[in-house]
Amino acid sequence: MTQQHLEPPVAAGLPTPVPGRAAKPSMRELILQAAAVLFYAQGIRAVSADKIITKVGITKVTFYRHFPGKDDLVVAYLERRAQSERDAIEGARRSSPGDPAGALRLIAEGIGVESCAPGFRGCPFINAAAEYADAGHPVREVVASHRRWFKATIEQILHEIGVADVSGVADQLVILRDGAMVGGHLGHRGDPQVVARSLVNAGRAVIEYSQAPD
């Protein structure tokens, strides 16, 4: 899910923490943390490599040693966000063993809380797609890959619920999710629980309609 603060270091590739001492983030991680904050708050195109270099307090040589170009950093930023969302959604599924409807409810509640959070600027993947018009660009490929994963995961949950048209219903639920994200970006600031409940009810209506007899 979306976060507006410096995120904790990713464990992979970092030294094993010493008991009683926090692991020191790698330089690559520090660059990614700074980029995550700036890209999300100001927009990807508006943030230059120089701005990130200044924020981290490093030289250009150090920056380009880790990221040969800004697009490489953007791809890494989005892949990091994708993994964060996947972890959150898989966590919701693990929290509801044998209850796929409960997993969907937890996912919707998370989206509701996120879309009402201070500093929320919409879905980082939708934002990135709006800034990169070429569908074949590596940035757009990351966006497309993550959205395919999200839809496939929703399809799996719907299959567990017993929905027949998992693809069609998943498409509608993804649209509901996107609408909540855009609504939050455009200034909707309601009660997270009310927004979550509205999203849950809308999703339930879609599923029930798909299962109604012709």
Side-chain angles (χ1 to χ4, degrees):
M1 296 295 177
T2 301
Q3 301 177 15
Q4 283 73 51
H5 55 277
L6 288 177
E7 300 175 9
V10 175
L14 294 184
T16 301
V18 176
R21 265 174 47 190
K24 182 179 179 180
S26 67
M27 182 54 65
R28 185 178 190 277
E29 178 64 20
L30 290 174
I31 295 170
L32 263 174
Q33 287 182 1
V37 172
L38 293 173
F39 285 159
Y40 189 74
Q42 301 178 22
I44 295 172
R45 296 290 193 187
V47 176
S48 65
D50 285 343
K51 186 176 288 189
I52 296 169
I53 288 167
T54 298
K55 183 174 181 64
V56 181
I58 56 176
T59 65
K60 289 185 177 182
V61 171
T62 298
F63 176 89
Y64 289 111
R65 183 185 302 130
H66 293 280
F67 298 98
K70 180 184 169 183
D71 284 348
D72 298 292
L73 178 57
V74 176
V75 167
Y77 153 70
L78 290 173
E79 288 176 341
R80 176 192 179 100
R81 299 302 292 257
Q83 187 60 55
S84 178
E85 289 196 9
R86 293 179 187 197
D87 290 344
I89 290 171
E90 290 303 330
R93 297 184 71 183
R94 289 193 299 271
S95 297
S96 303
D99 182 13
L104 272 183
R105 185 177 63 255
L106 287 176
I107 292 169
E109 289 173 352
I111 293 170
V113 170
E114 180 183 6
S115 65
C116 294
F120 181 73
R121 291 195 65 254
C123 170
F125 301 96
I126 294 175
N127 294 349
E131 294 197 58
Y132 287 81
D134 180 6
H137 191 282
V139 168
R140 288 290 297 272
E141 290 176 357
V142 175
V143 173
S145 175
H146 181 59
R147 288 180 66 82
R148 283 194 299 270
W149 174 88
F150 181 73
K151 183 188 174 186
T153 300
I154 298 301
E155 288 177 343
Q156 291 172 7
I157 298 173
L158 292 172
H159 176 72
E160 293 171 10
I161 291 174
V163 172
D165 181 15
V166 295
S167 181
V169 174
D171 280 333
Q172 295 176 70
L173 295 183
V174 171
I175 288 173
L176 287 175
R177 178 265 182 197
D178 290 347
M181 290 281 156
V182 173
H185 183 23
L186 293 179
H188 175 76
R189 288 293 180 269
D191 181 339
Q193 298 308 315
V194 172
V195 175
R197 187 160 55 249
S198 296
L199 195 54
V200 169
N201 290 340
R204 182 181 295 117
V206 168
I207 293 171
E208 290 178 352
Y209 181 80
S210 74
Q211 296 176 312
D214 294 334

